[in-house]
Amino acid sequence: MNSPKKDEWYLQKIKILEGLLEEINIRSFNRSITDILKTNENLSYAKTLDSIHLATELYYSYHIDQEIGIFSYDKNTNRVAMKLGLTPLVSEEESF
């Protein structure tokens, strides 16, 4: 049997998660992303899927008027993001 405190905690966490998920945008992988991957040498220092993620972030950063942060616990991905001018949302101490 769950305690009311645990239920309240759970409901708060679900609400936070739902808020975060509302901020996620889906982007089709198309020529725009491929062009960024081909022309930005810094992306070659990240793993393949991380490079695609970073290239997509770069694409968005060229098309919207607000700062985009990247959320990754991978130190290398965050280092590459910084080289690209993106802001890691996870500190160096929290990364592995």
Side-chain angles (χ1 to χ4, degrees):
M1 181 173 199
N2 288 341
S3 71
K5 256 188 172 177
K6 285 184 181 179
D7 289 342
E8 183 179 328
W9 176 89
Y10 176 78
L11 292 173
Q12 287 175 343
K13 297 303 178 187
I14 290 296
K15 193 171 192 170
I16 291 168
L17 178 60
E18 288 172 347
L20 290 171
L21 291 174
E22 286 178 13
E23 297 292 323
I24 294 174
N25 295 299
I26 303 298
R27 172 75 175 116
S28 297
F29 187 87
N30 64 14
R31 186 175 198 106
S32 300
I33 305 301
T34 304
D35 289 346
I36 292 171
L37 286 165
K38 288 180 180 178
T39 59
N40 196 312
E41 186 178 332
N42 284 320
L43 291 169
S44 67
Y45 296 101
K47 297 174 207 158
T48 303
L49 292 177
D50 294 333
S51 292
I52 293 168
H53 184 180
L54 291 167
T56 304
E57 295 243 6
L58 277 177
Y59 174 85
Y60 276 118
S61 73
Y62 301 151
H63 293 89
I64 63 172
D65 292 330
Q66 68 184 48
E67 184 177 1
I68 297 177
I70 180 154
F71 190 92
S72 175
Y73 285 108
D74 183 77
K75 281 185 182 187
N76 186 59
T77 300
N78 289 333
R79 286 184 192 125
V80 174
M82 288 189 292
K83 286 182 182 180
L84 297 170
L86 300 170
T87 304
L89 300 176
V90 177
S91 71
E92 180 79 18
E93 296 79 35
E94 295 173 302
S95 302
F96 50 90

